[in-house]
Amino acid sequence: MISVAAREGVPLGSGSSDELARARARAVRYAAFRATAEAAAPHCRVVKGPSLARHYPQGVLRPVGDLDLVLPDQAELWAAAHALATEHGAEPHELTLVTGPDGRLHVLLTLAWPSPDPLVEQELRVELSTAAFYGDLGALPVRYALPGPQGLADLLSVAEERVERPFHAKDAVDVLMLLAAGELDDTDAVTAALDTLRLAPEGLELAALVHAVAPHPLLDALAGRLRPLAAQERARRAAVPARSEPAGIRARLDAGFPVWGMLLDTCVGRGPADRLELVDGPRSTLVHTPVGSFLLVAGELVDAADHAAALAFLDSGARA
């Protein structure tokens, strides 16, 4: 909103000027992170973020939260992570592992940098993932492929956000920008993509939200096509029975449940340079990655003794 006001010639005070300057500086840093990741991982694809921002009018700044990058495999993910760590000082922040329906172990790694002004600005984060969409890891499973056209990939990524939170104003503006850029003109392709990636209910809700405040014939046509598909997808999800979650780390991975990594240290060289390596310690399971080692956990509460044992196991120099 501040950038729109500035574009229209509204005089800015010190507070709004500083806010806009921070946002622009943040966008520049993310552009550098993206360039580094793409140089290290040639098949890296960006979704949302700067991909959507390019459709905004000249001088209008899309709010910058984090940078989402989808990689085709572990080798490219770790290449990008290593480049960001060595060239930009990134530190591992969060790690999620889950086995998808395709039988592949998918990796979601978040790298982070401290905020230059933590009282008013969140840290910078880059999310690297070998899967495009994680769903709810239940009735809506992991889906690893992105559609070819970038506009469709961005729309699907916005729709997928609904799995975690309600839609808000920025989502609606993103859709309006895609419409203005002609990215959604082929309603057959948009409908097919949402249906194939099992996001018809979310796509319908998003189209209805935007159409209610900014009516557009393409949105009306899209909603009409999506209604029966959304009903079918809701029924499909409702028919998926609840599953009991196994307790062990390897059992969870085998059953398609996620596990999370608690960072132990950022020492490298314990495992291969292009993939992660699971290691069973005396009390728990660890994972060595090209950017550090993690204790794998199944929930938010971790036994202090397990954490201490994992650190001692690393100190002993033990490997798989």
Side-chain angles (χ1 to χ4, degrees):
M1 291 177 64
I2 295 171
S3 67
V4 171
R7 184 173 182 262
E8 296 299 317
V10 176
L12 301 183
S14 60
S16 54
S17 294
D18 288 348
E19 179 77 13
L20 190 55
R22 279 195 301 270
R24 294 198 188 283
R26 189 179 181 92
V28 169
R29 288 191 69 185
Y30 274 131
F33 298 159
R34 178 185 177 184
T36 295
E38 290 177 338
H43 300 99
C44 168
R45 289 190 63 183
V46 64
V47 289
K48 298 183 299 181
S51 181
L52 285 164
R54 65 194 173 101
H55 297 304
Y56 278 55
Q58 183 71 29
V60 177
L61 185 66
R62 183 181 186 272
V64 182
D66 55 14
L67 179 64
D68 297 301
L69 302 175
V70 178
L71 295 305
D73 52 40
Q74 279 200 46
E76 290 212 19
L77 182 144
W78 296 117
H82 184 264
L84 289 167
T86 55
E87 297 180 32
H88 295 283
E91 293 189 355
H93 186 63
E94 295 174 354
L95 176 70
T96 302
L97 306 179
V98 63
T99 303
D102 58 350
R104 291 171 54 195
L105 180 65
H106 289 286
V107 180
L108 174 60
L109 174 71
T110 301
L111 302 172
W113 294 258
S115 167
D117 193 344
L119 292 181
V120 296
E121 182 182 356
Q122 64 184 351
E123 76 249 356
L124 290 92
R125 296 159 60 98
V126 173
E127 290 192 354
L128 305 171
S129 177
T130 58
F133 310 107
Y134 283 85
D136 59 8
L137 299 175
L140 185 59
V142 173
R143 288 135 297 142
Y144 62 90
L146 280 172
Q150 188 61 46
L152 283 182
D154 291 335
L155 176 67
L156 289 163
S157 298
V158 174
E160 176 82 4
E161 291 285 348
R162 184 63 182 89
V163 179
E164 297 184 6
R165 60 163 175 80
F167 288 128
H168 50 54
K170 186 168 73 170
D171 302 317
V173 176
D174 284 341
V175 173
L176 289 174
M177 295 302 103
L178 289 171
L179 279 169
E183 296 284 358
L184 308 183
D185 286 354
D186 188 345
T187 54
D188 287 341
V190 174
T191 302
L194 287 165
D195 187 35
T196 300
L197 274 298
R198 300 188 54 183
L199 287 169
E202 291 73 20
L204 176 60
E205 182 179 343
L206 183 59
L209 169 70
V210 180
H211 189 60
V213 294
H216 194 288
L218 282 178
L219 291 175
D220 191 38
L222 183 61
R225 292 171 179 267
L226 287 174
R227 284 190 188 95
L229 298 174
Q232 292 173 15
E233 176 59 27
R234 292 191 196 100
R236 184 180 181 183
R237 296 181 195 177
V240 176
R243 298 187 298 157
S244 59
E245 298 191 19
I249 295 299
R250 290 185 181 268
R252 288 180 64 87
L253 288 173
D254 290 342
F257 286 97
V259 299
W260 298 274
M262 173 181 283
L263 183 65
L264 297 173
D265 68 27
T266 54
C267 179
V268 299
R270 292 193 179 99
D274 61 349
R275 63 187 184 279
L276 58 80
E277 180 179 57
L278 296 181
V279 180
D280 290 320
R283 294 177 59 102
S284 54
T285 301
L286 283 65
V287 60
H288 298 324
T289 80
V291 295
S293 295
F294 298 77
L295 169 63
L296 292 181
V297 301
E300 296 178 355
L301 298 179
V302 180
D303 191 313
D306 289 342
H307 183 257
L311 287 173
F313 186 61
L314 283 184
D315 290 340
S316 72
R319 288 191 46 161

